[in-house]
Amino acid sequence: MILGVTGGIAAGKSTVVGEFRRLGAEVVSADQLSREAVEAGSPALERIVERFGPPVLHADGTLDREKMAHIIFGDASARRELEAIVHPVIEKLAQQKLAAARSRSRLVVYEAPLLFELAAQRRVDRVLVVTVEEKEQLRRLMARDGLSEEAARRRIAAQMPQAEKIARADFVIDNTGAQEAALARVRRLFEQLAGEADLCDSQPCR
Ligand code: ADP
């Protein structure tokens, strides 16, 4: 059983996923895969340098993600070119890592902030969306990332609306209140899914 976990920025995805991990779920992180896809010396990074030039690299040969983000900001065709290089690699890594994790563990959690945007829900059996009221989201985002209110608002506004994510979810955990309440929900969901995962061994999960 693979559970996709998504939600808006600073909603509490990492917090929720941390609890699943503590309970014994195997975790695959899409952010980690996207870093691996362009690690120093990788074919994808070579193609990025061919296309965008050596200034997109740090002195140590790793990708300067901030500079890359700056280049593609407001340049849709550059963004598409970058995505055409990187996405197939991430796809392949996701396939490999999720299959390997599934062979080791009954419950695999795929933490993917852009699960819906990148159509990655087809890689998972169920989707959990972590939600938070916007005022609290803003407060946590500003506190965690040291952002001004304006910058934090911009980041939230750039994302798929929360209501749209909720509409596509199998499960929703609201993390607006105390963290312990959300973690207690995670523990109940873990029990439920672990039970369903037993069934998955003898019949398809979907
Ligand atoms: P995400 O992974 O969705 O971006 P995080 O799990 O990093 O979000 O949570 C965002 C910030 O809010 C972190 O600093 C985290 O410690 C804090 N946080 C998470 N859940 C709660 C909660 N229920 N109450 C208060 N702070 C929280």
Side-chain angles (χ1 to χ4, degrees):
M1 155 88 66
I2 301 180
L3 175 71
V5 176
T6 191
I9 188 166
K13 295 178 294 297
S14 306
T15 306
V16 160
V17 168
E19 186 67 1
F20 275 111
R21 185 186 279 117
R22 195 186 68 78
L23 292 167
E26 180 117 9
V27 176
V28 176
S29 150
D31 281 347
Q32 176 68 32
L33 296 184
S34 75
R35 280 190 292 273
E36 249 182 85
V38 294
E39 68 193 2
S42 65
L45 187 56
E46 269 175 37
R47 289 185 58 199
I48 290 171
V49 174
E50 273 167 27
R51 166 61 186 85
F52 297 98
V56 298
L57 294 180
H58 288 296
D60 66 357
T62 58
L63 181 65
D64 185 337
R65 298 171 77 92
E66 246 174 69
K67 200 170 272 174
M68 201 62 245
H70 190 73
I71 291 172
I72 62 172
F73 183 78
D75 184 343
S77 95
R79 174 183 295 268
R80 276 195 298 274
E81 284 182 70
L82 177 68
E83 288 175 352
I85 296 171
V86 176
H87 283 176
V89 184
I90 296 177
E91 283 277 305
K92 201 164 154 214
L93 282 173
Q95 231 167 34
Q96 287 169 350
K97 303 263 165 163
L98 287 173
R102 190 168 13 203
S103 71
R104 285 192 299 264
S105 173
R106 275 168 184 256
L107 184 60
V108 176
V109 168
Y110 185 42
E111 180 180 8
L114 300 177
L115 186 84
F116 296 124
E117 291 86 339
L118 300 182
Q121 73 269 32
R122 69 203 146 78
R123 303 214 167 286
V124 304
D125 301 302
R126 303 273 195 288
V127 175
L128 164 64
V129 171
V130 182
T131 63
V132 63
E133 278 174 17
E134 191 169 329
K135 213 170 133 203
E136 179 64 9
Q137 180 181 27
L138 196 61
R139 193 190 67 72
R140 287 183 198 165
L141 180 55
M142 289 166 65
R144 187 192 64 186
D145 294 354
L147 295 177
S148 69
E149 183 174 335
E150 199 205 331
R153 277 190 193 282
R154 259 203 312 273
R155 294 211 185 180
I156 293 170
Q159 297 201 312
M160 179 188 284
Q162 189 162 272
E164 234 172 275
K165 292 181 180 159
I166 291 172
R168 301 198 205 177
D170 296 298
F171 310 103
V172 176
I173 290 184
D174 178 39
N175 184 35
T176 305
Q179 191 162 302
E180 186 41 46
L183 299 187
R185 284 271 288 127
V186 171
R187 290 192 284 274
R188 285 201 297 278
L189 185 57
F190 179 87
E191 293 302 327
Q192 179 186 335
L193 292 174
E196 287 189 36
D198 282 340
L199 296 174
C200 288
D201 282 349
S202 50
Q203 64 190 48
C205 271
R206 281 169 213 263

